PDB file of all heavy atoms in Angstrom:
ATOM      1  N   ARG A  29       3.757   1.748  -1.271  1.00 48.00           N
ATOM      2  CA  ARG A  29       4.315   1.997  -2.591  1.00 48.00           C
ATOM      3  C   ARG A  29       3.298   2.669  -3.509  1.00 48.00           C
ATOM      4  O   ARG A  29       3.637   3.547  -4.281  1.00 48.00           O
ATOM      5  CB  ARG A  29       4.792   0.689  -3.226  1.00 48.00           C
ATOM      6  CG  ARG A  29       6.035   0.109  -2.564  1.00 48.00           C
ATOM      7  CD  ARG A  29       6.489  -1.146  -3.292  1.00 48.00           C
ATOM      8  NE  ARG A  29       7.677  -1.704  -2.668  1.00 48.00           N
ATOM      9  CZ  ARG A  29       8.278  -2.811  -3.080  1.00 48.00           C
ATOM     10  NH1 ARG A  29       7.792  -3.483  -4.113  1.00 48.00           N
ATOM     11  NH2 ARG A  29       9.355  -3.250  -2.459  1.00 48.00           N
ATOM     12  N   THR A  30       2.036   2.254  -3.402  1.00 51.00           N
ATOM     13  CA  THR A  30       0.988   2.832  -4.229  1.00 51.00           C
ATOM     14  C   THR A  30       0.808   4.312  -3.908  1.00 51.00           C
ATOM     15  O   THR A  30       0.716   5.157  -4.798  1.00 51.00           O
ATOM     16  CB  THR A  30      -0.347   2.094  -4.011  1.00 51.00           C
ATOM     17  OG1 THR A  30      -0.169   0.721  -4.341  1.00 51.00           O
ATOM     18  CG2 THR A  30      -1.432   2.694  -4.891  1.00 51.00           C
ATOM     19  N   VAL A  31       0.784   4.642  -2.622  1.00 49.00           N
ATOM     20  CA  VAL A  31       0.634   6.029  -2.204  1.00 49.00           C
ATOM     21  C   VAL A  31       1.808   6.857  -2.699  1.00 49.00           C
ATOM     22  O   VAL A  31       1.654   7.951  -3.228  1.00 49.00           O
ATOM     23  CB  VAL A  31       0.512   6.121  -0.664  1.00 49.00           C
ATOM     24  CG1 VAL A  31       0.569   7.575  -0.225  1.00 49.00           C
ATOM     25  CG2 VAL A  31      -0.779   5.463  -0.198  1.00 49.00           C
ATOM     26  N   ASN A  32       3.029   6.329  -2.536  1.00 75.00           N
ATOM     27  CA  ASN A  32       4.210   7.050  -2.983  1.00 75.00           C
ATOM     28  C   ASN A  32       4.193   7.285  -4.487  1.00 75.00           C
ATOM     29  O   ASN A  32       4.591   8.347  -4.964  1.00 75.00           O
ATOM     30  CB  ASN A  32       5.473   6.276  -2.590  1.00 75.00           C
ATOM     31  CG  ASN A  32       5.726   6.332  -1.096  1.00 75.00           C
ATOM     32  OD1 ASN A  32       5.242   7.222  -0.412  1.00 75.00           O
ATOM     33  ND2 ASN A  32       6.479   5.377  -0.576  1.00 75.00           N
ATOM     34  N   ALA A  33       3.768   6.279  -5.222  1.00 79.00           N
ATOM     35  CA  ALA A  33       3.696   6.416  -6.681  1.00 79.00           C
ATOM     36  C   ALA A  33       2.687   7.489  -7.061  1.00 79.00           C
ATOM     37  O   ALA A  33       2.918   8.285  -7.976  1.00 79.00           O
ATOM     38  CB  ALA A  33       3.324   5.081  -7.315  1.00 79.00           C
ATOM     39  N   THR A  34       1.570   7.522  -6.352  1.00 84.00           N
ATOM     40  CA  THR A  34       0.545   8.525  -6.626  1.00 84.00           C
ATOM     41  C   THR A  34       1.056   9.929  -6.313  1.00 84.00           C
ATOM     42  O   THR A  34       0.880  10.866  -7.097  1.00 84.00           O
ATOM     43  CB  THR A  34      -0.720   8.244  -5.790  1.00 84.00           C
ATOM     44  OG1 THR A  34      -1.222   6.954  -6.111  1.00 84.00           O
ATOM     45  CG2 THR A  34      -1.791   9.290  -6.064  1.00 84.00           C
ATOM     46  N   LEU A  35       1.710  10.067  -5.181  1.00 83.00           N
ATOM     47  CA  LEU A  35       2.258  11.365  -4.801  1.00 83.00           C
ATOM     48  C   LEU A  35       3.342  11.811  -5.788  1.00 83.00           C
ATOM     49  O   LEU A  35       3.433  12.994  -6.122  1.00 83.00           O
ATOM     50  CB  LEU A  35       2.846  11.291  -3.385  1.00 83.00           C
ATOM     51  CG  LEU A  35       1.837  11.124  -2.246  1.00 83.00           C
ATOM     52  CD1 LEU A  35       2.561  10.953  -0.922  1.00 83.00           C
ATOM     53  CD2 LEU A  35       0.887  12.315  -2.186  1.00 83.00           C
ATOM     54  N   HIS A  36       4.118  10.860  -6.237  1.00 81.00           N
ATOM     55  CA  HIS A  36       5.164  11.165  -7.215  1.00 81.00           C
ATOM     56  C   HIS A  36       4.551  11.712  -8.500  1.00 81.00           C
ATOM     57  O   HIS A  36       5.013  12.714  -9.060  1.00 81.00           O
ATOM     58  CB  HIS A  36       5.967   9.898  -7.515  1.00 81.00           C
ATOM     59  CG  HIS A  36       7.120  10.112  -8.456  1.00 81.00           C
ATOM     60  ND1 HIS A  36       6.948  10.172  -9.825  1.00 81.00           N
ATOM     61  CD2 HIS A  36       8.444  10.301  -8.224  1.00 81.00           C
ATOM     62  CE1 HIS A  36       8.126  10.374 -10.390  1.00 81.00           C
ATOM     63  NE2 HIS A  36       9.046  10.461  -9.453  1.00 81.00           N
ATOM     64  N   THR A  37       3.481  11.071  -8.963  1.00 88.00           N
ATOM     65  CA  THR A  37       2.803  11.503 -10.183  1.00 88.00           C
ATOM     66  C   THR A  37       2.198  12.893 -10.016  1.00 88.00           C
ATOM     67  O   THR A  37       2.330  13.762 -10.887  1.00 88.00           O
ATOM     68  CB  THR A  37       1.705  10.511 -10.579  1.00 88.00           C
ATOM     69  OG1 THR A  37       2.291   9.228 -10.815  1.00 88.00           O
ATOM     70  CG2 THR A  37       0.970  10.965 -11.831  1.00 88.00           C
TER      71      THR A  37
END
Side-chain angles (χ1 to χ4, degrees):
R29 289 183 180 179
T30 301
V31 171
N32 288 338
T34 301
L35 291 175
H36 183 279
T37 300

